[in-house]
């Protein structure tokens, strides 16, 4: 039977025509039988063969006119049902009219009205029922013949319903939905599209084991990150693939397709709950103004560009020293060129004369300073470049901001500036100290002045050189995944989220603040690596290995957002805090920073780092050649105590 169904792809139209005619004739015989109480002699006395002949001709005419035989039976729909209704109605009208004319001419009734009515309802019922039976048989054997993986859908709402429809109707689908999962107790135990709704909390593991579930599809739009992680962890533990349905506004032409149901990736699990921003506050800050963004082609800078453009600035100045990256962001934002004046400037922020020309030409109202060297091990080996970019570059931009009366200067810093253990972290802390002391100096004048604001946050997901893109490449290459230490942890935040908070902090700042962002929980990198392996459908130590390479120069085991002597104060936004940090007077720090910049013109890394440690006493090198400077300082301190 299965082989027959497989070989029979589409029933020929002439066969459907013959079956329809046979069904209508059968309906006529049933009508006569019912009308005369199944007494065969009474039925034969009515000469039913004449009526059968008339119905044969009338039905053939009606079927050919309406083409009710032309539909593919396995796909019978309500439209096909409507076409059958018209066919049978037309047939009945022809028979009735013929019977009336015959009675008028001969005064003899040809076909009883009761027979016409019974035939009418019987024909409609049988014609539609046999089509539905064929459709069911094809569907049943299509399921039997097709090797399908069993799946569960999380979310018995509109999204879940549409997802099941797409899966059922898509010919290329290799999935069979065997159940819905729900957290809403009001829906549990009910059925939707013929499939039962189960308790997501209590039934998920039982269903996975009993039904050999291979896939879970998450369709709930507002699912919390914690709940999503719970579901993913359960699925990964039982080797179940997890996919999710994108929001409705991302569907192609407003319709969901099977190809849009994507596998859950690590970024979906490391972000946090959506941040609600005071967009009106940010818009008031940016609307109609000239905004300069340094490092505009980098991971953070380019996202700031995208978000700033949403708030209708008058002009946006993109400054970066990377030609290729700057070209890419220029192409991306080109649709905005008719609404906002955009200036793409290839320049090095360390070049004071070049930057002076830019400031004097465009007179920016707001500066977002995202340009920096950020890779810890690389900066440990290239100390002079770290100072020239992170310290000198910041000093050049901040001094010019004062000179050209910029309203706000928002600097992007890092959690690595807290109790720094690396050249990179210490260089960013020195930049923080400089802009804060400059703000304090200007504030004491009592005049309107540039407001300097610092934002401090941890690692951003997917930024250039971050661990997640590295792990993805290593997984694609077959491993191994390299992790520095089994216990190393990091904070993570998505790039859009970080940049939203930068804009919000910049808008709320009154000058001199160091804003820190709520980074959520720190994540163990080894656990991150293991989860990425499992999300890829691989097994650790069987398909791919994790290798611990040891901490690199300047790296910490744990990142911090505040040092021991700092506290934080709440702001009006619950994701942004204001750090209370040690302040240094401008006249005290300026000579030290000038000396540091002068030292960076040379090649004596030890002298440069020693000067950095003088500016930032809490800077203690870790796994670095500069640790000997800490030993010398400690020895000097011990000698002084004696």
């Amino acid at each position: 039977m299965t082989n027959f169904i497989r070989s029979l792809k589409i029933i020929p139209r002439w066969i459907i025509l013959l079956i329809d005619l046979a069904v209508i004739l059968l309906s006529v015989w049933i009508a006569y039988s019912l009308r005369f109480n199944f007494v065969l002699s009474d039925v034969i006395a009515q000469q039913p063969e004449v009526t059968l002949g008339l119905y044969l001709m009338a039905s053939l005419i009606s079927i050919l006119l309406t083409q009710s035989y032309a539909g593919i039976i396995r796909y019978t729909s309500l439209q096909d049902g409507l076409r059958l209704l018209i066919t049978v109605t037309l047939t009945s009208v022809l028979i009735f009219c013929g019977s009336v004319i015959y009675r008028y001419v001969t005064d003899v009734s040809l076909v009883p009205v009761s027979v016409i009515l019974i035939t009418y309802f019987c024909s409609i019922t049988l014609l539609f029922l046999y089509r539905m039976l064929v459709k069911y048989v094809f569907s049943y054997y299509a399921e039997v013949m097709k090797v399908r993986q069993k799946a569960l859908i999380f979310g018995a709402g509109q999204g879940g319903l549409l997802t099941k429809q797409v899966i059922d109707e898509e010919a290329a689908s290799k999935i069979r939905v065997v159940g819905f999962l729900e957290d809403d107790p009001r829906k549990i135990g009910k059925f939707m599209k013929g499939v039962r709704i189960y308790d997501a909390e209590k039934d998920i593991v039982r269903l996975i084991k009993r039904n050999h579930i291979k896939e879970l599809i998450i369709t709930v739009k507002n699912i919390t990150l914690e709940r999503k992680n719970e579901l993913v962890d359960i699925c990964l533990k039982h080797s179940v693939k997890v996919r999710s349905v994108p929001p409705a506004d991302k569907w192609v032409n407003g319709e969901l397709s099977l190809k849009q149901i994507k596998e859950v990736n690590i970024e979906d699990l490391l972000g946090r709950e959506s941040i609600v921003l005071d967009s009106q506050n940010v818009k008031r800050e940016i609307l109609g103004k000239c905004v300069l963004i340094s490092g505009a082609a980098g991971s953070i800078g380019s996202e700031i560009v995208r978000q700033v453009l949403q708030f209708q600035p008058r002009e946006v100045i993109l400054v970066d020293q990377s030609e290729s990256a700057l070209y890419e962001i220029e192409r991306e934002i080109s649709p905005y060129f008719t609404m906002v004046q955009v200036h793409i400037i290839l320049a090095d922020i360390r070049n004071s004369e070049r930057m002076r020309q830019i400031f004097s030409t465009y007179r920016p109202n707001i500066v977002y300073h995202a340009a920096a060297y950020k890779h810890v091990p690389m900066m440990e080996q290239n100390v002079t470049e770290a100072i020239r970019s992170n310290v000198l570059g910041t000093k050049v931009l901040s001094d010019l901001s004062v000179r050209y009366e910029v309203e706000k200067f928002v600097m992007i810093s890092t959690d690595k500036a807290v109790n720094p253990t690396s050249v990179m972290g210490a260089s960013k802390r020195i930049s923080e100290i400089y802009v804060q002391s400059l703000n304090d100096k200007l504030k004491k004048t009592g005049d309107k002045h540039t407001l300097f604001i610092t934002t401090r946050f941890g690692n951003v997901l997917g930024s250039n050189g971050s661990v997640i893109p590295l792990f993805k490449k290593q997984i694609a290459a077959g491993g191994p995944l390299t992790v520095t230490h089994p216990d190393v942890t990091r904070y993570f935040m998505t790039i859009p989220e970080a940049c939203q908070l930068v804009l919000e902090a910049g808008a709320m700042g009154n000058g001199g603040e160091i804003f820190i962002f709520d980074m959520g929980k720190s994540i163990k990198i080894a656990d991150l690596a293991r989860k990425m392996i499992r999300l890829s459908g691989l097994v650790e130590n069987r398909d791919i290995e994790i290798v611990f390479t040891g901490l690199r120069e300047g790296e910490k085991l744990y990142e911090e957002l505040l040092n021991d002597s700092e506290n934080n104060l709440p702001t009006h936004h619950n994701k942004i805090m204001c750090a209370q940090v040690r302040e240094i007077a401008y006249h005290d720090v300026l000579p030290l920073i000038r000396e540091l910049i002068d030292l960076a013109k040379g090649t004596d890394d030890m002298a440069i780092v020693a000067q950095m440690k003088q500016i930032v006493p809490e800077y203690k090198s870790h796994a670095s050649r500069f640790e000997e400077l800490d030993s010398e300082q400690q020895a000097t301190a011990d000698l002084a105590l004696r």
Side-chain angles (χ1 to χ4, degrees):
M1 181 65 177
T2 301
N3 292 333
F4 172 73
I5 295 293
R6 185 184 290 114
S7 62
L8 194 60
K9 293 182 178 179
I10 298 177
I11 301 174
R13 291 183 177 184
W14 64 269
I15 291 179
I16 298 173
L17 176 61
L18 291 178
I19 294 173
D20 285 352
L21 289 172
V23 166
I24 292 173
L25 295 180
L26 176 63
S27 298
V28 174
W29 184 259
I30 292 172
Y32 269 105
S33 298
L34 289 171
R35 171 66 180 78
F36 295 99
N37 300 314
F38 294 97
V39 178
L40 184 60
S41 57
D42 291 347
V43 172
I44 293 173
Q46 296 297 317
Q47 297 181 317
E49 62 274 11
V50 176
T51 304
L52 289 171
L54 290 173
Y55 261 100
L56 181 63
M57 289 186 292
S59 299
L60 184 60
I61 293 169
S62 301
I63 290 171
L64 291 174
L65 286 173
T66 60
Q67 291 192 323
S68 61
Y69 66 94
I72 300 174
I73 292 186
R74 72 174 76 174
Y75 301 130
T76 297
S77 64
L78 287 175
Q79 283 187 326
D80 295 305
L82 180 61
R83 195 178 290 118
L84 287 173
L85 181 65
I86 295 171
T87 300
V88 175
T89 301
L90 181 58
T91 300
S92 299
V93 168
L94 290 174
I95 295 295
F96 179 77
C97 291
S99 182
V100 169
I101 293 170
Y102 187 81
R103 182 184 178 86
Y104 179 77
V105 173
T106 64
D107 201 31
V108 177
S109 178
L110 185 61
V111 183
V113 174
S114 59
V115 170
I116 295 174
L117 289 173
I118 294 171
T119 302
Y120 176 79
F121 290 110
C122 194
S123 298
I124 291 174
T125 303
L126 292 178
L127 285 170
F128 194 72
L129 280 180
Y130 102 75
R131 279 170 164 76
M132 295 306 295
L133 178 63
V134 172
K135 179 179 180 179
Y136 171 77
V137 170
F138 269 101
S139 299
Y140 176 78
Y141 279 98
E143 289 293 328
V144 171
M145 290 184 288
K146 188 180 290 185
V147 179
R148 287 196 170 195
Q149 294 183 338
K150 294 179 181 179
L152 296 170
I153 292 177
F154 179 78
Q158 187 68 20
L161 179 66
L162 290 173
T163 301
K164 187 177 186 304
Q165 286 179 346
V166 168
I167 290 170
D168 291 345
E169 295 171 6
E170 182 66 56
S173 172
K174 295 182 179 179
I175 305 167
R176 181 159 67 92
V177 177
V178 298
F180 289 95
L181 293 174
E182 254 297 339
D183 287 331
D184 186 348
R186 295 172 298 177
K187 297 180 181 179
I188 294 168
K190 297 180 180 178
F191 285 80
M192 189 165 73
K193 293 286 288 184
V195 175
R196 188 181 178 88
I197 303 171
Y198 295 93
D199 189 326
E201 189 73 36
K202 298 177 181 177
D203 297 331
I204 182 168
V205 175
R206 178 176 59 83
L207 288 170
I208 288 172
K209 290 179 178 178
R210 187 184 72 186
N211 295 294
H212 306 290
I213 301 297
K214 297 298 181 184
E215 192 163 316
L216 173 72
I217 302 171
I218 298 173
T219 64
V220 178
K221 181 180 178 182
N222 58 348
I223 183 172
T224 66
L225 195 68
E226 183 181 4
R227 185 69 176 118
K228 184 184 288 187
N229 271 284
E230 287 175 1
L231 291 170
V232 170
D233 287 341
I234 291 170
C235 289
L236 293 181
K237 184 178 179 181
H238 295 88
S239 301
V240 175
K241 184 188 294 183
V242 185
R243 296 204 289 169
S244 64
V245 174
D249 58 359
K250 300 240 179 112
W251 295 357
V252 178
N253 298 323
E255 293 184 0
L256 178 66
S257 70
L258 196 63
K259 292 180 180 178
Q260 290 177 281
I261 305 174
K262 300 295 184 183
E263 290 187 22
V264 168
N265 57 42
I266 196 68
E267 288 89 346
D268 298 326
L269 305 175
L270 293 182
R272 294 175 302 132
E273 304 309 324
S274 298
I275 290 178
V276 180
L277 293 179
D278 184 358
S279 57
Q280 290 303 314
N281 192 27
V282 177
K283 186 172 184 177
R284 281 193 298 271
E285 188 76 14
I286 294 173
L287 180 65
K289 293 183 180 178
C290 178
V291 180
L292 184 147
I293 302 162
S294 72
S299 305
I300 298 295
S302 60
E303 180 61 25
I304 291 177
V305 171
R306 296 182 193 101
Q307 294 193 19
V308 163
L309 287 170
Q310 304 297 320
F311 295 104
Q312 303 171 21
R314 184 184 75 253
E315 291 180 83
V316 177
I317 305 156
L318 280 61
V319 178
D320 205 291
Q321 63 175 339
S322 174
E323 176 195 15
S324 299
L326 203 56
Y327 172 70
E328 289 300 322
I329 188 65
E330 178 184 22
R331 288 183 60 191
E332 180 186 335
I333 65 171
S334 57
Y336 286 94
F337 289 179
T338 56
M339 298 173 280
V340 180
Q341 295 183 54
V342 179
H343 308 283
I344 311 295
I345 299 177
L346 186 65
D348 188 337
I349 61 169
R350 299 173 295 187
N351 186 333
S352 58
E353 181 54 31
R354 173 78 169 120
M355 296 311 299
R356 187 198 63 77
Q357 292 172 352
I358 294 168
F359 272 75
S360 64
T361 301
Y362 299 106
R363 303 276 177 160
N365 303 109
I366 302 170
V367 172
Y368 292 101
H369 176 36
Y373 285 145
K374 63 181 182 180
H375 295 287
V376 171
M378 191 173 290
M379 292 304 99
E380 211 70 14
Q381 298 299 320
N382 297 275
V383 178
T384 58
E385 291 305 306
I387 299 306
R388 287 181 56 75
S389 178
N390 295 355
V391 179
L392 174 61
T394 300
K395 185 177 184 301
V396 167
L397 290 181
S398 54
D399 289 347
L400 287 170
S401 295
V402 175
R403 179 176 176 181
Y404 289 96
E405 299 179 338
V406 168
E407 295 172 17
K408 280 191 177 179
F409 181 100
V410 183
M411 187 184 87
I412 295 165
S413 189
T414 170
D415 56 2
K416 293 173 178 63
V418 181
N419 293 324
T421 60
S422 64
V423 169
M424 194 285 283
S427 68
K428 294 298 288 184
R429 177 61 189 135
I430 292 169
S431 300
E432 289 182 357
I433 290 170
Y434 183 74
V435 298
Q436 193 176 31
S437 65
L438 182 56
N439 186 89
D440 186 58
K441 174 203 169 190
L442 296 170
K443 187 177 180 180
K444 289 176 180 177
T445 64
D447 299 327
K448 184 179 178 182
H449 63 86
T450 303
L451 303 177
F452 289 90
I453 298 148
T454 299
T455 60
R456 186 191 281 174
F457 53 88
N459 301 278
V460 286
L461 296 170
S463 64
N464 297 330
S466 67
V467 69
I468 289 175
L470 172 63
F471 283 168
K472 286 181 178 178
K473 288 179 182 178
Q474 290 177 336
I475 289 170
L481 269 64
T482 54
V483 179
T484 56
H485 192 282
D487 297 322
V488 68
T489 64
R490 292 292 181 265
Y491 291 102
F492 286 98
M493 177 179 279
T494 65
I495 293 175
E497 180 183 40
C499 294
Q500 283 176 335
L501 291 174
V502 167
L503 297 185
E504 179 77 10
M508 73 167 68
N510 295 312
E513 302 98 339
I514 294 181
F515 289 113
I516 59 174
F517 299 160
D518 175 7
M519 298 294 295
K521 297 178 181 178
S522 62
I523 297 166
K524 190 175 283 190
I525 300 301
D527 291 343
L528 175 65
R530 292 187 183 99
K531 183 167 278 191
M532 288 186 68
I533 290 172
R534 293 199 301 272
L535 283 171
S536 301
L538 304 172
V539 178
E540 183 189 352
N541 296 328
R542 188 191 75 184
D543 303 316
I544 201 162
E545 288 186 277
I546 295 175
V547 175
F548 296 102
T549 59
L551 289 172
R552 298 174 295 179
E553 282 194 311
E555 282 193 322
K556 296 179 178 181
L557 270 179
Y558 315 105
E559 298 291 6
E560 305 157 278
L561 292 173
L562 291 168
N563 69 29
D564 294 338
S565 62
E566 295 177 351
N567 295 306
N568 64 67
L569 297 173
T571 68
H572 75 263
H573 197 292
N574 62 356
K575 298 290 184 183
I576 304 175
M577 285 78 69
C578 184
Q580 291 183 302
V581 301
R582 176 178 63 92
E583 296 184 11
I584 305 176
Y586 180 77
H587 60 80
D588 290 331
V589 76
L590 181 60
L592 295 174
I593 290 179
R594 280 177 174 168
E595 184 178 349
L596 177 65
I597 292 169
D598 286 340
L599 286 169
K601 295 175 183 176
T603 58
D604 189 347
D605 288 353
M606 284 294 178
I608 296 170
V609 174
Q611 181 69 5
M612 295 175 76
K613 290 177 182 293
Q614 185 178 350
I615 301 171
V616 186
E618 65 269 24
Y619 170 25
K620 304 296 180 186
S621 299
H622 186 271
S624 169
R625 59 196 165 115
F626 302 118
E627 285 182 280
E628 64 180 80
L629 293 172
D630 298 323
S631 300
E632 290 173 6
Q633 286 182 352
Q634 186 61 47
T636 302
D638 292 343
L639 186 61
L641 289 173
R642 293 177 190 170

